[in-house]
């Protein structure tokens, strides 16, 4: 399949401004809560996590978690599998899940369950973008960057077949054939 070049949907400046706003809100909400464990969902969250975590003014540590969907077309069936759990002990800690995108919601819904099973003090969620039209499960996003239309998006951690993850902006791509 041939794809168009990415067309800017959310500019680098708009992303950076929103990241600063989210960091300020998170820092305020978690003030006096002790250390927050930021759990990045591999791979897509790595750039958002890097930028967001450096803007926080509260104590924080970084963890990663990895999941995969079963086979093709499984995302809509909601079959998610844990590939790598967090490494540190999160019992009694405040956990904030960091996602690049929430699409059907199955991944985030599954991850909340996994992380809650470790006995943390709290689990909250933060996602840079959400495709509200695609939601299949109702999952709370405590900190959301942007709602976006149901288009193929790349950049700022998001890929299409591993391409374009490191674009500084979020762009849309369309099939040309
Ligand atoms: C994306 C994204 C979420 C998930 C959201 O990951 O990072 O984890 O899909 O989809 P859902 O709401 O429909 O469950 P992806 O599978 O593309 O892996 P990647 O982050 O490694 O690119």
């Amino acid at each position: 399949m041939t794809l168009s070049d990415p067309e800017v949907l959310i500019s680098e400046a708009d992303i950076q401004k929103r990241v600063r706003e989210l960091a300020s809100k998170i820092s305020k909400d978690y003030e006096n809560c002790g250390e927050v464990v930021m759990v990045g969902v591999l791979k897509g969250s790595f750039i958002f996590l890097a930028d967001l975590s450096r803007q926080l003014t509260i104590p924080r540590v970084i963890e990663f978690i990895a999941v995969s969907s079963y086979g093709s077309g499984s995302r809509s069936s909601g079959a998610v599998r844990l590939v790598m759990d967090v490494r540190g002990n999160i019992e009694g800690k405040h956990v904030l899940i960091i996602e690049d995108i929430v699409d059907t919601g199955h991944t985030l819904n599954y991850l909340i369950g996994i992380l809650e099973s470790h006995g943390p003090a709290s689990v909250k969620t933060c996602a840079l973008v959400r495709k509200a039209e695609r939601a299949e499960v109702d999952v709370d996003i405590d900190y959301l960057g942007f709602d976006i239309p149901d288009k193929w998006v790349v950049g700022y951690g998001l890929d299409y077949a591993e391409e374009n993850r490191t674009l500084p902006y979020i762009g849309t791509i369309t099939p040309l054939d």
Side-chain angles (χ1 to χ4, degrees), residues 42-44 75 99-107 159 165:
L42 294 172
K43 301 178 191 172
R75 196 174 279 181
E99 265 288 25
D100 53 345
I101 185 167
V102 177
D103 192 341
T104 64
H106 289 299
T107 303
D159 72 308
R165 275 196 203 277

Side-chain angles (χ1 to χ4, degrees), residues 3-11 149 151-155 164 167 169-174 176:
L3 295 163
S4 68
D5 286 333
E7 202 173 297
V8 177
L9 178 68
I10 310 171
S11 70
K151 293 186 171 169
W152 289 359
V153 282
V154 292
N164 287 316
L167 290 175
Y169 60 89
I170 291 178
T172 57
I173 50 170
T174 45
L176 297 175

